[in-house]
Amino acid sequence: MRKYFGRKIFVYALTFFAAVTINWMIPRLMPGDPIKSRLARASLNDAGAAEALYGYFNKMFGLDLPLWQQYLNFWVSLFQGDLGISIWNFPTPVIDLILGAVPYSLGLLLPSIILSWLVGNWFGAYAARSKWLDNTILPIGYILTATPYMWLALLLAWSLGIVAGLFPAAGSYGLSLQPAFTWTFISSLLEHWFLPFLSLFLVALGGWAIGMRNMIIYELESEYSNYLQALGAPRRLIRKYAFRNAMLPQLTGLAVQLGTVVAGALLTEIVFSYQGLGYLILQAIQNQDFFLLQGTFLFIVIGVLIANFIIDIVYALVDPRVRVQMQGGAK
Amino acid sequence: MTAAQPLPDPTTAPEEPAVATPKAPRLEALYFALRNPKLVVGLSIVLLFLLVGLVVPPFLEHTPGERYAPPLLPPSAEHWFGTTQFGQDLFTQFVYGIRSTFLVGFLGGGIAAVIGMTIGFVAGYKGGWIDEVLNMLTNVVLVLPTLAVLFIIAAYVDSYGVVTQSFFIGMTSWPWAARAVRSQALSLSSRDFVDLARLSGVRPWKIIVRDIAPNMSSYLFMTFILLFGGAVLAAAGLDFVGLGPNDGMSLGLIMHQAVKWGALQLGVWWWFVPPGLGITAIVGSMYVMNVGLDEVFNPKLREM
């Protein structure tokens, strides 16, 4: 048990270390002078202004220090929660912007991930080895997994949002509203939340259904299913066992897919101008706000790591083999 | 499960003379391939798009960026897919976009396949501490959210082309392939024929290439197809946020421009529907094709 979690935590710590190092390294590793190219993109006309900015950024990044010290400083300021100051929304610290956006992203991600996983597994389990369901769910599933996130978001925003006018197609709450704990605000929030949620939910749904279907077919081929069948066990019972066994790989699959789903959420937020992390990333890219971009990246990595760890815990709780070990049973 | 009796395993079927083995299995695979609707339909759609992307561009009179037509024309006989706000022909953009979609898929998926398979084979065959280290590396890259890493990389590169983009995508999307190949290689490397090769002093690299890989070639091919689809989707995501290649046209870039210039609000559906539909059709039919291939190669899955 301790070994299981010890290994996992070690990998996550290593991943975090790698992510921070990537974050630090990329601006320094890229060919050319990152600050110069950034200034070039900003297309400043005044040479003096460009020079002043160049000096400012050089100091800001601490590029005048030796490399190892830059790297160390990066870690120190990271642990102080200092991710720099946003250029897009000057002079708000990047960390404040991110903390403001995280609830919106989580509000989209958690329900869509959990619901699509549950519903997808359920559909997939029913589709396995039942001819007509299989023939309808499977193609739909493949089309959904092949759909680019932003395209489905665009389709929904256009069809249900703009043409049908059922839901607002942009923003995270009404333009005239201020965040408050009132009914009007909350209902507006929910209205704006629905389409991005639906979009994320649908894209992920297909993959889970297909995965579960394949797992169930595989389980139904296995020895214990044949044995149960030979004993004359009812179909329902065999399927129940198969389902339980298929759940575990699906849980691992969820951990593997997290990064993709989070990235999909970023794209979806951009389509709906939903003010989560994806929207911040878009603003950062469009406004050359590299502190914001890097800060958001780190936050996404941290989020994915935490989610992975939670899945590991759930896995340990669900898997009877691990559970028995935990209770001091058979080794 | 109960009703559908699996066909007799063709390799042990009595009427098949054992001498004819070199050709028979391949013919048999072809026999099932042509009778598998998933494979046939999927492959036809992919080939159709590939053909359009390869053959049509030279026949087009205008370049994808050229502004020569009236703006925002709906689809018509003159402009099959309509025009953009700047009077660019969307069909031209679409065809060139298909071309770069396949390029990114082949290159990005190919690079990811090479890296993933190399790491998977070495880890699975060698075992020991090499396996431990490679496994750790795989797990670390696996947990990193690929697209977010790509955002960071692409944002710092000034200008780059489709090939560089494919390289970035390939470098970040290999881990799950490495994992899958590793577990297959691991189970194969304890077989008798591999032991025999090892005992007779064949070099490890040769064993991997000549004894292990051919025994899982269908698996490797299907892995490549999935990596291809993943690379296409990743590229579309990058292009969509505006971090795509600076030169050329891609399906993601068309959607980027559509959103940027308010196609949604203007109700110009022909600007953003076809590119996404193109990606979905290509990637979706590849996935369906994969299922078909799986059924052809794996007799257990054939449902007749």
Side-chain angles (χ1 to χ4, degrees), chain B:
Chain B
M1 177 184 70
T2 41
Q5 275 295 316
L7 288 173
D9 195 345
T11 45
T12 54
E15 63 270 15
E16 202 122 35
V19 197
T21 36
K23 262 198 160 179
R26 219 170 278 171
L27 278 179
E28 184 221 292
L30 195 67
Y31 172 87
F32 282 107
L34 291 177
R35 270 155 196 76
N36 189 303
K38 290 179 189 123
L39 181 59
V40 172
V41 171
L43 191 64
S44 323
I45 296 177
V46 171
L47 286 182
L48 182 75
F49 273 102
L50 183 63
L51 210 66
V52 168
L54 283 180
V55 174
V56 177
F59 293 101
L60 296 169
E61 292 166 41
H62 302 273
T63 57
E66 202 174 323
R67 306 173 174 197
Y68 67 98
L72 295 182
L73 284 182
S76 62
E78 183 85 6
H79 301 281
W80 288 1
F81 284 16
T83 59
T84 70
Q85 196 169 359
F86 308 103
Q88 296 146 321
D89 182 45
L90 274 165
F91 181 71
T92 311
Q93 295 198 340
F94 183 79
V95 171
Y96 277 91
I98 297 269
R99 202 176 233 205
S100 71
T101 295
F102 273 100
L103 190 61
V104 165
F106 274 118
L107 282 179
I111 293 170
V114 169
I115 300 175
M117 285 171 193
T118 310
I119 290 185
F121 276 130
V122 172
Y125 178 77
K126 284 278 184 185
W129 66 270
I130 296 180
D131 184 26
E132 287 280 323
V133 170
L134 289 179
N135 226 345
M136 206 63 98
L137 178 73
T138 308
N139 282 334
V140 166
V141 184
L142 187 70
V143 180
L144 283 177
T146 314
L147 201 61
V149 179
L150 288 173
F151 282 163
I152 292 282
I153 299 176
Y156 271 104
V157 190
D158 280 337
S159 57
Y160 68 104
V162 183
V163 177
T164 318
Q165 185 186 34
S166 315
F167 176 73
F168 290 151
I169 292 173
M171 291 296 287
T172 46
S173 57
W174 54 267
W176 71 261
R179 242 192 189 185
V181 170
R182 173 188 169 270
S183 66
Q184 293 279 317
L186 192 65
S187 75
L188 276 176
S189 64
S190 59
R191 297 280 184 82
D192 287 342
F193 62 91
V194 178
D195 279 339
L196 187 66
R198 212 177 285 154
L199 281 176
S200 40
V202 182
R203 286 165 179 234
W205 193 240
K206 227 170 182 180
I207 297 181
I208 291 177
V209 173
R210 280 185 26 195
D211 294 318
I212 298 181
N215 276 296
M216 47 190 283
S217 55
S218 62
Y219 192 80
L220 296 179
F221 185 63
M222 290 190 285
T223 307
F224 169 69
I225 290 183
L226 291 180
L227 287 170
F228 184 107
V232 168
L233 290 178
L238 267 179
D239 297 345
F240 178 70
V241 295
L243 289 176
N246 311 55
D247 56 334
M249 180 50 62
S250 73
L251 296 178
L253 185 62
I254 302 179
M255 283 193 271
H256 169 73
Q257 287 169 347
V259 169
K260 191 173 174 188
W261 303 108
L264 266 182
Q265 288 75 22
L266 295 170
V268 190
W269 55 267
W270 56 88
W271 200 346
F272 58 82
V273 172
L277 199 62
I279 295 173
T280 312
I282 295 173
V283 178
S285 14
M286 290 203 123
Y287 287 168
V288 171
M289 192 176 107
N290 229 9
V291 184
L293 277 177
D294 204 9
E295 288 172 3
V296 169
F297 292 129
N298 187 350
K300 268 189 185 172
L301 291 175
R302 280 178 206 147
E303 289 184 79
M304 295 292 163

Side-chain angles (χ1 to χ4, degrees), chain A residues 86-264:
Chain A
S86 166
I87 296 167
W88 161 61
N89 205 341
F90 197 81
T92 321
V94 164
I95 187 98
D96 290 350
L97 284 175
I98 292 175
L99 289 180
V102 163
Y104 288 99
S105 281
L106 277 184
L108 274 186
L109 277 169
L110 285 182
S112 61
I113 289 177
I114 295 173
L115 276 177
S116 67
W117 192 78
L118 290 175
V119 176
N121 278 335
W122 189 77
F123 270 129
Y126 270 91
R129 298 277 165 173
S130 98
K131 201 111 205 176
W132 75 266
L133 255 182
D134 208 14
N135 282 338
T136 45
I137 285 185
L138 206 60
I140 296 175
Y142 277 107
I143 292 171
L144 284 179
T145 33
T147 310
Y149 279 92
M150 60 278 182
W151 187 59
L152 189 67
L154 280 171
L155 283 186
L156 288 177
W158 174 65
S159 61
L160 293 181
I162 289 169
V163 175
L166 292 174
F167 295 96
S172 20
Y173 47 80
L175 283 175
S176 57
L177 295 173
Q178 283 290 319
F181 214 69
T182 58
W183 177 238
T184 27
F185 177 73
I186 291 173
S187 66
S188 165
L189 201 64
L190 281 177
E191 252 182 3
H192 284 80
W193 167 85
F194 184 73
L195 280 186
F197 159 77
L198 184 68
S199 169
L200 278 175
F201 171 77
L202 284 178
V203 176
L205 189 67
W208 300 129
I210 294 166
M212 186 46 128
R213 169 202 174 262
N214 293 346
M215 282 311 302
I216 292 264
I217 289 181
Y218 176 79
E219 292 291 336
L220 288 180
E221 297 271 335
S222 66
E223 300 277 309
Y224 73 88
S225 305
N226 288 336
Y227 180 64
L228 276 177
Q229 205 189 331
L231 287 182
R235 249 179 100 93
R236 277 185 67 93
L237 185 75
I238 304 175
R239 278 180 161 267
K240 205 171 131 190
Y241 279 111
F243 185 74
R244 283 195 175 177
N245 276 309
M247 284 301 263
L248 290 175
Q250 285 290 88
L251 211 52
T252 318
L254 182 60
V256 174
Q257 280 294 313
L258 267 178
T260 316
V261 180
V262 170

Side-chain angles (χ1 to χ4, degrees), chain A residues 269-314:
Chain A
E269 283 173 10
I270 290 174
V271 172
F272 288 100
S273 320
Y274 200 79
Q275 48 176 281
L277 292 173
Y279 186 64
L280 281 190
I281 284 195
L282 184 71
Q283 296 305 332
I285 291 170
Q286 286 179 348
N287 296 289
Q288 307 291 311
D289 190 344
F290 285 73
F291 289 118
L292 185 57
L293 185 63
Q294 297 195 313
T296 315
F297 168 71
L298 269 190
F299 247 76
I300 292 169
V301 171
I302 293 172
V304 171
L305 290 181
I306 293 174
N308 260 292
F309 190 61
I310 293 173
I311 293 176
D312 286 336
I313 294 174
V314 173

